[in-house]
Amino acid sequence: EGGAAVAFARLGVDGTTTWMGDERAPAGDSIGAIAVAPRGGDIVVVDGYTASTSRRPPQGPPPNRWRISRFSGGGQLRWTKDYAANGFVRFDRLAVDEGGNIHLGGTFDGGIDVGRGLQRSAGQDDAVMVDFDAEGNVRWAQFIATHGSDRVAALTATADGIFAIVEVGGPRPRESPGLPFDGEPGTHLVRLGTDGDLRSSKRLELG
């Protein structure tokens, strides 16, 4: 059919394939992360792709997109949400909590839409965390935006919110749209509440 596609499969305990699914796009599709819901066994997939087959569009960079989809344990698509990005974007950290809420962590450079309009990056790469309810509605989004390169290195979900390991690449701009913490460059353990508010942050001393 042309275009690009990525495939993913569910395997049984004996290694046999129970079902296989795919995500299709005009060009350049790649899966960033897959997670299984602890209750019900639903599967969540996040991927990014180029929404044009043209490598050199008349104006500006290729129109990138990112997408999150939820499947039943048997492989039936429950819903999919599609968003725009102006520049590089990759979500490669994904967790699903006991209530079915979905938590994403990633990096972008340029601009990204998380369902509430385009957010532009402040530095080389900015870190972003997005929280969805079980039906795919955005509950909140938070950014870590410094003059350097920032990324979410790890993320896990609890009943009280999320914990993330965030690598901060530089000082925070005075008018940054990111989380209001003045952490020094380095690796930080960040805790966010269920409402997305910053609860605590601690710089980790790594040997």
Side-chain angles (χ1 to χ4, degrees):
E1 298 180 4
V6 289
F8 44 93
R10 181 161 192 163
L11 306 180
V13 293
D14 59 355
T16 59
T17 302
T18 58
W19 62 266
M20 180 173 288
D22 63 59
E23 296 276 46
R24 297 186 176 274
D29 198 2
S30 65
I31 288 179
I34 298 177
V36 178
R39 292 187 180 181
D42 279 8
I43 296 172
V44 179
V45 179
V46 59
D47 67 318
Y49 64 94
T50 302
S52 172
T53 56
S54 172
R55 295 195 176 190
R56 295 183 178 272
Q59 296 179 344
N64 295 325
R65 309 285 299 182
W66 66 279
R67 169 175 53 193
I68 180 170
S69 306
R70 185 169 189 145
F71 298 83
S72 70
Q76 181 179 11
L77 178 65
R78 296 196 187 278
W79 51 257
T80 187
K81 305 286 184 177
D82 196 284
Y83 300 97
N86 180 18
F88 170 80
V89 59
R90 180 172 179 81
F91 284 98
D92 52 9
R93 300 292 179 256
L94 171 60
V96 184
D97 65 24
E98 290 285 341
N101 302 306
I102 302 163
H103 314 273
L104 290 181
T107 304
F108 76 102
D109 182 19
I112 187 174
D113 178 15
V114 291
R116 298 178 181 178
L118 196 67
Q119 172 67 51
R120 299 196 177 278
S121 59
Q124 301 171 20
D125 297 304
D126 285 354
V128 56
M129 290 177 279
V130 189
D131 186 273
F132 295 83
D133 65 20
E135 302 302 319
N137 302 304
V138 175
R139 302 201 305 177
W140 52 261
Q142 288 286 16
F143 301 88
I144 295 177
T146 75
H147 287 302
S149 181
D150 315 308
R151 78 182 188 101
V152 180
L155 182 148
T156 189
T158 72
D160 299 323
I162 68 172
F163 289 86
I165 300 294
V166 179
E167 295 180 356
V168 176
R172 180 173 175 261
R174 181 174 297 180
E175 308 230 342
S176 169
L179 287 168
F181 79 100
D182 296 319
E184 298 177 5
T187 302
H188 296 256
L189 173 62
V190 177
R191 180 190 173 197
L192 302 180
T194 55
D195 53 2
D197 286 347
L198 179 66
R199 299 295 174 86
S200 64
S201 66
K202 180 178 181 180
R203 188 174 186 274
L204 302 178
E205 301 295 336
L206 303 178

